[in-house]
Amino acid sequence: MSFNLSNDWLEFLQEDLERMQFAEFLRRINGLYEDNPDGIFPPLPMIFNAFHEVAPKEIRAVILGQDPYPTRGHAHGLAFSVQSHVVPLPKSLNNIFKELQSDVGLEPPEHGDLNRWKDQGVLLLNSVLTVQEGQPGSHKQMGWEAFSDAVIHRLSQEFDHLVFFLWGAQALQKSVLIDASKHLILNAPHPSPLAAYRGFFGCRHFSKANEFLASKHLSTIAW
């Protein structure tokens, strides 16, 4: 298998991964790629991009997505993000940038690659990490939810003063995994065109996150 988690994350999640028989689960995922090498997204080596080159102790915020973009060339392992050459931007990401501009006055960036957020300790985590081309939600209930649950719960347990962005009903279900007494949970409708006007626009989550971090004497995020 040509995909893996770093030793930092494997150690951090060890108990959870053993309980969910993670190695066997990854073998099943690898089999899907072997059967359909060009029709499962993101590309196999990119599945765990959100965790690459960032240790658990470096995480300051979690933005939770649903599953990867099912459009060829879009998904690259970071929730809501696309590689820099992708145009036009997915509508959900475009709405995120609209809210960012409204909230903190940032002009929309030239591309949709959110690695700049990841590099500052923002974990761009999808609840489900793979998808079949053209079929949103096609890999739900395969086992990924147990993995993303473990990541969120363990981060909540082990650290203090993180910000969790839960956008949409599916993401909101994860709130039971988070200790609200020490972390900031930001809830809003999903930024998709179907829901953004129901309260995502105007939620001001980006400024609220930085206000919270600053109040805990932590460095803010350069969105």
Side-chain angles (χ1 to χ4, degrees):
M1 289 181 285
S2 59
F3 57 101
N4 53 53
L5 281 169
S6 68
N7 287 336
D8 282 344
W9 284 100
L10 289 173
E11 293 172 7
F12 183 67
L13 299 168
Q14 181 177 0
E15 293 181 13
D16 307 283
L17 299 182
E18 289 176 356
R19 185 171 58 251
M20 66 174 288
Q21 299 180 304
F22 193 60
E24 175 58 31
F25 170 70
L26 289 185
R27 278 191 284 273
R28 297 199 307 271
I29 295 298
N30 192 65
L32 294 176
Y33 279 87
E34 289 178 347
D35 292 341
N36 190 8
D38 297 320
I40 308 293
F41 304 144
L44 187 63
M46 294 183 175
I47 289 179
F48 294 111
N49 266 0
F51 302 89
H52 289 175
E53 298 181 0
V54 57
K57 65 182 180 181
E58 296 172 321
I59 297 300
R60 292 190 286 156
V62 179
I63 296 180
L64 185 65
Q66 295 180 356
D67 59 350
Y69 294 119
T71 303
R72 183 173 296 272
H74 281 197
H76 68 133
L78 307 181
F80 294 108
S81 180
V82 291
Q83 296 182 80
S84 58
H85 64 269
V86 173
V87 288
L89 294 181
K91 293 179 180 179
S92 292
L93 181 57
N94 194 49
N95 285 341
I96 289 170
F97 288 157
K98 285 181 180 179
E99 175 57 24
L100 186 62
Q101 182 176 23
S102 172
D103 184 11
V104 299
L106 285 179
E107 290 294 321
E110 295 180 357
H111 59 77
D113 189 329
L114 301 181
N115 267 295
R116 63 188 179 279
W117 293 0
K118 188 195 84 168
D119 293 343
Q120 298 178 75
V122 179
L123 182 63
L124 294 155
L125 176 67
N126 277 315
S127 179
V128 175
L129 272 63
T130 57
V131 71
Q132 186 167 335
E133 181 175 9
Q135 299 182 34
S138 51
H139 287 185
K140 289 175 65 175
Q141 309 305 322
M142 291 182 58
W144 281 122
E145 291 87 352
F147 173 76
S148 55
D149 283 358
V151 172
I152 291 171
H153 185 241
R154 190 65 62 178
L155 287 171
S156 173
Q157 277 192 322
E158 299 297 328
F159 301 115
D160 296 325
H161 313 320
L162 304 182
V163 182
F164 291 86
F165 296 75
L166 305 182
W167 295 336
Q170 183 174 318
L172 182 58
Q173 295 174 4
K174 303 276 195 187
S175 62
V176 298
L177 305 168
I178 303 166
D179 184 348
S181 70
K182 61 178 182 174
H183 303 295
L184 177 64
I185 302 174
L186 296 172
N187 301 323
H190 195 275
S192 74
L194 297 175
Y197 288 95
R198 301 175 189 161
F200 177 78
F201 290 137
C203 68
R204 299 190 62 245
H205 280 182
F206 301 101
S207 60
K208 289 177 181 177
N210 277 345
E211 288 165 5
F212 174 80
L213 293 170
S215 75
K216 304 301 181 183
H217 307 290
L218 299 170
S219 57
T220 56
I221 297 165
W223 299 110

